[in-house]
Amino acid sequence: MHIPAEALRALKHVLGEKNVLCDEISLCLNGYDCSLSRARPDVLLNIPTRQQVSPAVQILHRYKIPFTVRGAATNHAGSCCPLKGGAILNLCALNRILQINTQAGYAWVEPGVITGQLQQALQPLGFFYAPDPASQRVCTIGGNIAQNASGARCLKYGGTLDHLIQAEVVLPNGDVQTFSRTTPGPDWLGLLTGSEGTLGIITQAKVKILPLSQHVRTFLITFPSLQQSVQTVTDLMGRGVIPRCVEAMDKQTVLAVETFSRAGYPTDAEALLILELDGPLQTLEHEQKTVEEICHLHQAQHIYCAQTEAERQRLWAGRQGAYSAMASLAPNVLVCDGTVPRSALPDTLRAVRKILEENQIRASLLFHAGDGNFHPQLIFDERHKTDTLHITRTAKRILQACVDAGGTISGEHGIGVEKRSTMAYQYDRATLHLFSQIKHAADPDELANPLKILPLNYEEKAVFPPAAQGRLRTWLEDFQHRKSQGKPFWVCGTNSRLQTQEPVFSTEPLNQITDVDLTNYTLTVQAGVTLKQVQQTLAKHGVHSVLPDEPGTVGGAFSSGCFPDFYAHVTAIQVLMPDGSLVRYGGKLTKNAAGYNLIRLFAGAQGALGIVTELTFKIFATPQPILTPRKDQPIVPNCWFNRLKQELDPTGLLCLKEETR
Amino acid sequence: MMHPSFKHCLHALKTPFGWRELYDSAAYCNRCGACTQVCPAYHLNPQETFSPRGRNQLLRLVCEEKIKLSRKQPLARDLLISCTLCGRCSQACASHTPTAEHVLEMRRRLGLCVLPRLLQRLLLWRETAPRLFAVGIRLGLWGRRCGLVTLLRKSGVTLLPGLTWINRADELLPRRIGRWRITSNATDTVKPPLIYLPSLEAEFFLPELASQTLAYAQREHAVTVWRNTASGLFSYVYGQLRQSRRTLRRLINRHAQTADGNAPLLTDSVDTYVFLKRAAQVFSGNMRWQKRAQKMADCVCFVTEVMPKSPTENKPQGGPVRLEPSALFDRQSRPFTQALDILTTFFGKNLLQCLYTEADIPAFGYAFTAENRAEQMGLEVVRQVAQTHTRTVYTLSGLAALELTYFLQRFYPAAKAKHLVHINR
C-alpha cells in the first residue's frame, strides 16, 4: 500500500529520521518470523522509547495505515507477518526491566525484554518468572503476552496469562489504556493475552514473580507403552503430586535424539518421560516416593533420578537436542502445536504417527505429558513448493485429529496466519462470529495486525454446532420469548447477589451436572447449578475444587466477578449471546491459545455481554485453598466494554447490574 | 551482485553436517531466531537487519534474485561490515548455519573493502611481499618511537578519512616492544620437528608471546620457526580469496616438503588455528588441493597442546579469572575446552564461567573495520569484567589481549588481559 508522504513526515517528526525506514533491505528483512509466511511491509518503524508508541500509532490511525508489531519474531504462527503491508513497529529497543519488587512479587518490564534476561535478573534475587517457552533465551515478554506463550512449567505454574498483573496498552486508535486484574468487570488482560497484537500494543507490563525453589529433582523414566506413561502422570496428579514439568517423547523420537546427541537415553522403551519436581526438601522426599511407587505400578522400565546438576543438564540436553536433531536433516522444521485432553493423548499420538507414516514424513514427536500438549516436528525443504504443500496439508490433518479428540489446534503457539484456516475445524459459526465482533469492536478500522486469527469466509467453513438438548433447549425457547418482548432484563442465578425485584432472567433451570471427569480432573456443570450442589457432587467422588460452600450458582460465581481467582480454573464455557446464538469455547484442556480468550471476556461481565450457560472447571484430588469472595462491585465500563456492548447487544437487552441502582 | 567466477568466491561451505552450496547453506536457516540474542552487533542495534537471521535471509533473497545488492547501498555496506565474524550465531543455531561465512561471501561478491584501503594494502604485503612488510612494520615502529605518530596525531593528519586507523593502531599497540630472543632448535632428524608459525602480533608486536610459546614447545619438541609466514587468513577475511588460496598453497607446499608433511604446525592465535583447520573449504571445488589442505589441517595444533596442564610450582594466586573466548567463526573447538581445563586446574573455583550470552571482544581487526561499534562492544566486555570483579582475563590470541588491555586500562585498570601462554606470570 502507498504510504502518504505527509504520514512519513509526521512519523519522522515523532520517531526521528533514522527510525523510519523505507529501503528495500529493511522492508524485506522485517516481514517474516519463524513460520512459513512472508510479506513485505511498506515502512519500518523502530520505536526508541515506549512514550513514542502512542503518537506513532495515532499517525498510523489518522492515515488508516495498517500496522503489525514485531518483537523477536520467534513465533511459529506467522503473527508478525504484515499481510496487508503497512507499517512494522519494531519494539526490540524497548528492552528495559523497569522495576523488580521482590517483597510484593512483581516486575515491571518493557515489551522488548527478553524472557531469559528477566530470568537472569531475577535469579540472584532468589526469584523466577514462571512462563518458560522453549525459546525463552530469545523471545520477548511482549511476544509471550501477545501469543499467550507457555512452556514445560505450565502444568504447575500456568502460562503467561496467569502471570500478567497489569499492562499499559496503546489501542489501535493511539489511545493509551491501562488494564489491571483488580478492576471490576471482564478480565481485559485475559482477553488481550493471546490476541497476537490484533487488539492493541503492550508498552509495559507488570508480571508476577515467584520465589525460586531451592530443591529440584529430575527423573528419567521409561515405559513399555505411551498409555502407561500418560496414566502415570494422571495417577500422580490424582495423588496430589503436580510435577513442575513432564516432558515426553515416543520411541522414534528417542532414537533420533540418541543418534544425534547421544544423551544416554534408553532406546528400548516405547515412551520416555523427563519429570521434574520442585519444592521444600521434605515434600520432595515424599513426592519422590510417590513417583517411584506409581511408576512401578505402571511397569516403568527405568527410573533414574539425576544426582548432580551436571546429570540433570545431561537429561535435559537430549530433550533440547530434539529440535537440533531434526534441523540438521533438512532446511526447515515445521513445529506443530496441538493440545488434547490428557486422557486422549495416547490415542491422538498414535493417530498422529499414523498420519505421518501415511504421508511418508519424517518427524519427531515431543509432548508435554502433563497438559496434553504435543509438538510434532516435521522436516522439509520450503524451496520445494510441492513438498511444502504436502507438509502443510499433513499438519492440518494432525490438527484435525486434535480437534476430533476434543482438543485445540493451538496450546501455546497461537494462530496467526498459519493456522487461521484450521480455526474453522474447531469453532462453529457463532463462536467465529464473536471473535470477529471482538476484533471489530476494538479495532473498527482493521489496522492492528489485520487478517490474523479469523479464517477467511468462516461462515461457509465453520463446523456445525451440536443442537441444544433437554433443559437447555426449553430455556433457550424461553429466552427467545423474552427477547421477542423487547424489554431489557437482568440475568441472575438464584438472585443471591443481584437481589433485585426488577425483571430478571434466571439460569436456575439450568441445574444439571453434566460431567465429572476423574481422568482429566474436570467438572462440567450448567450455570444454574448451585455451589452447594457442586460441593455435594465433589464429596461423593472424593475430589475437591476451589469454590466455597456458599449460596449462589456456579454461573454467578463466574460472572459476578466475586471470585477472580476462579477464572484460571475454568477451561471451557458455553454462552448464550444476546442475538440468540450459542457460543462454545475451550474444553478439558490445560491450555488453549486458539482465538481470543472468551472465558476471560465473560468472566466478571455480570451477564451484560452474554449469558453463561455451562462451565467446565478444574477439580483436584487433594484439598485446595478455598477462595474467599471479593466485595460485590459494579463494572466500570471502559472504552472496550462500551464498544463491545454496542457490538454484541445493540438493543441493550441484557442490563448491567449498576443500572439497578 | 553475484560474481560470475568461482575464482573470487567459494563453491560450497563446509558445515558440521557436510558440504553445502551457498544457497543451500542459507536455506538451512529456519528463521527460529536463536542466533539473535548472542550476536554482539544485534545487541548494539536491535533491528532484524543487523541480526544473523537477517543476514542469512538477505543472502537467501539475493540468491533467489528477489533483491539486488550493491556496495553503493549504505545499509548493505553497514550490515555486512557490522558482523564481527565471531560465529556465536552458528554455535546457537540448531543447524549450525555458518552466518559469518555467508557474510564473507557477500562481501567478496560485492567486492566490498571493509578495511581502510591503505591499511588493507599494507597488511596484504605480509602475504605478497613479506620482507617488504617486515621492513615497513619496523620502520613504522621506529617512527613511532621517534614521535612521528604523535606528530601526525597532533597535526590532525590522522583525522583525515582513511587515516584514522593510525590513531587506533597507536592506541592498541604496546608502548614498549621487546625483541625476539629464541630461535629454532630443530636438530633432531629422527622425529618430525614441530613447526611454529608465529602470528602477526607475536612476530612484530608481542615477542614475549612468541618467546613463551617457543619455550613451551621446546620443552618436548625440536622446533622450527617459520618467521614472517602468513597463513592466508587476512586475505580470506578481507575479500581477496585468490590471494588467500595462493598464500595457503605456499604454506601447504612448504609444509608438505618438511618431514613428509607430517610435522605438527603450532600457532599461538586461535583465529589462525580455526582458519587453518578449515583450510579445505578455501579450495572448495578443487579436490586435489582440498585433500592437501585437509592433510595440513590435520597437523595444525594450538599452543594449549604444548602448555603445561597443571602448575609446575605453586598455584598462581590472585582474584577471579576468566577466559575471553574471542575468535573467528568458532568457539567450540579443541583449544577452548583445553584452555578451560588448564584454567580450571590452575585456578579452581577462581575461574569464572562465562555465560554463553556474554559479550566478548570482537574478533580479528574489527577495531579497524567498525571503530564505533568495537568501542561499544569493548565497553560491554569491561562492564562484565568489572561486574564479576575479575582480575585477569585470559585470551587465546595476542590481538584480543591487546584490544582488551586497551579497554581495561581506560575503564577498569584493576583487571588485566593476557594471552593464556602467560598463565605462570
Side-chain angles (χ1 to χ4, degrees), chain B residues 19 50 68 92 120 132 147 162-163 176 183 199 205 231 238 268 278 284 304 308-309 357 377 388 397 407 410 413 420:
Chain B
W19 288 88
F50 292 93
K68 280 187 179 164
Q120 175 153 358
L132 186 63
L163 291 178
R176 296 176 64 184
T183 50
S199 59
F205 311 120
S231 60
Y238 292 107
D268 57 66
R278 299 147 63 103
S284 64
T304 45
K309 301 292 181 276
T357 49
M377 285 182 202
T388 49
S397 88
F407 289 116
R410 276 174 71 195
L420 187 71

Side-chain angles (χ1 to χ4, degrees), chain A residues 447-578:
Chain A
L447 297 179
N449 206 2
L451 304 177
K452 301 287 162 60
I453 301 181
L454 270 175
L456 306 172
N457 307 327
Y458 64 83
E459 300 200 348
E460 298 156 24
K461 296 174 186 169
V463 290
F464 287 104
Q469 305 279 337
R471 288 180 195 179
L472 178 63
R473 192 172 161 183
T474 327
W475 185 81
L476 286 178
E477 284 165 4
D478 199 13
F479 172 80
Q480 290 296 354
H481 178 66
R482 292 291 293 267
K483 193 184 166 197
S484 62
Q485 290 174 347
K487 282 187 184 168
F489 53 81
W490 285 260
V491 179
C492 68
T494 52
N495 206 359
S496 58
R497 282 175 218 288
L498 192 64
Q499 293 178 348
T500 175
Q501 300 303 316
E502 304 288 339
V504 292
F505 185 64
S506 174
T507 55
E508 260 187 314
L510 303 175
N511 60 359
Q512 270 185 337
I513 291 179
T514 318
D515 178 43
V516 185
D517 187 337
L518 296 179
T519 313
N520 296 301
Y521 282 92
T522 56
L523 180 69
T524 307
V525 296
Q526 287 188 325
V529 169
T530 60
L531 296 177
K532 284 191 190 305
Q533 262 179 287
V534 169
Q535 293 305 327
Q536 283 163 6
T537 312
L538 294 178
K540 201 167 94 186
H541 290 90
V543 284
H544 309 266
S545 84
V546 292
L547 288 173
D549 190 357
E550 282 199 2
T553 61
V554 178
F558 177 74
S559 301
S560 66
C562 293
F563 297 98
D565 291 339
F566 178 55
Y567 307 160
H569 293 259
V570 179
T571 62
I573 53 167
Q574 179 179 267
V575 185
L576 173 66
M577 298 308 294

Side-chain angles (χ1 to χ4, degrees), chain B residues 148-406:
Chain B
L148 194 64
V149 176
T150 317
L151 194 69
L152 286 176
R153 291 179 73 165
K154 280 188 178 165
S155 64
V157 173
T158 54
L159 295 176
L160 293 173
L163 291 178
T164 49
W165 62 270
I166 299 175
N167 262 337
R168 181 47 62 102
D170 187 41
E171 286 164 351
L172 290 182
L173 296 180
R175 310 284 355 149
R176 296 176 64 184
I177 295 170
R179 301 194 65 173
W180 272 67
R181 295 190 187 284
I182 306 168
T183 50
S184 312
N185 68 345
T187 49
D188 183 2
T189 49
V190 182
K191 237 167 99 177
L194 185 144
I195 300 163
Y196 174 39
L197 193 70
S199 59
L200 172 76
E201 58 271 22
E203 178 91 37
F204 295 101
F205 311 120
L206 297 170
E208 63 278 16
L209 167 59
S211 310
Q212 188 61 61
T213 309
L214 265 175
Y216 283 139
Q218 286 177 340
R219 290 188 314 163
E220 289 180 14
H221 300 269
V223 181
T224 298
V225 184
W226 285 0
R227 293 197 61 173
N228 203 10
T229 307
S231 60
L233 170 62
F234 176 78
S235 45
Y236 181 76
V237 170
Y238 292 107
Q240 310 223 352
L241 193 62
R242 291 182 79 185
Q243 180 56 47
S244 181
R245 284 181 183 140
R246 262 185 238 130
T247 311
L248 259 178
R249 277 196 198 107
R250 226 171 23 235
L251 188 68
I252 291 166
N253 280 335
R254 193 172 171 193
H255 181 256
Q257 286 158 12
T258 312
D260 296 331
N262 293 321
L265 201 58
L266 177 72
T267 170
D268 57 66
S269 161
V270 74
D271 299 321
T272 312
Y273 172 88
V274 171
F275 171 69
L276 289 179
K277 277 283 178 195
R278 299 147 63 103
Q281 178 177 268
V282 181
F283 298 102
S284 64
N286 185 335
M287 285 302 285
R288 183 171 151 256
W289 277 99
Q290 258 182 44
K291 275 185 190 166
R292 296 192 67 188
Q294 191 54 53
K295 192 180 173 195
M296 184 193 71
D298 294 341
C299 296
V300 174
C301 58
F302 189 60
V303 66
T304 45
E305 302 273 358
V306 294
M307 280 182 67
K309 301 292 181 276
S310 55
T312 41
E313 294 163 18
N314 295 332
K315 277 195 174 187
Q317 297 299 310
V321 301
R322 58 195 277 154
L323 179 71
E324 171 66 36
S326 162
L328 274 177
F329 307 127
D330 180 26
R331 272 118 219 271
Q332 284 182 310
S333 51
R334 199 171 150 85
F336 298 100
T337 45
Q338 280 182 333
L340 276 176
D341 288 347
I342 291 171
L343 286 171
T344 311
T345 320
F346 273 71
F347 295 100
K349 285 182 181 171
N350 264 348
L351 171 67
L352 299 170
Q353 295 293 334
C354 296
L355 284 177
Y356 174 62
T357 49
E358 285 182 3
D360 51 26
I361 278 289
F364 198 71
Y366 194 69
F368 300 99
T369 57
E371 280 186 43
N372 296 339
R373 288 202 183 88
E375 179 100 3
Q376 286 171 288
M377 285 182 202
L379 276 174
E380 190 61 25
V381 181
V382 173
R383 193 177 62 81
Q384 281 162 16
V385 169
Q387 268 179 355
T388 49
H389 304 286
T390 308
R391 299 299 298 274
T392 314
V393 186
Y394 287 99
T395 68
L396 300 184
S397 88
L399 199 63
L402 280 174
E403 283 195 66
L404 196 48
T405 301
Y406 165 66

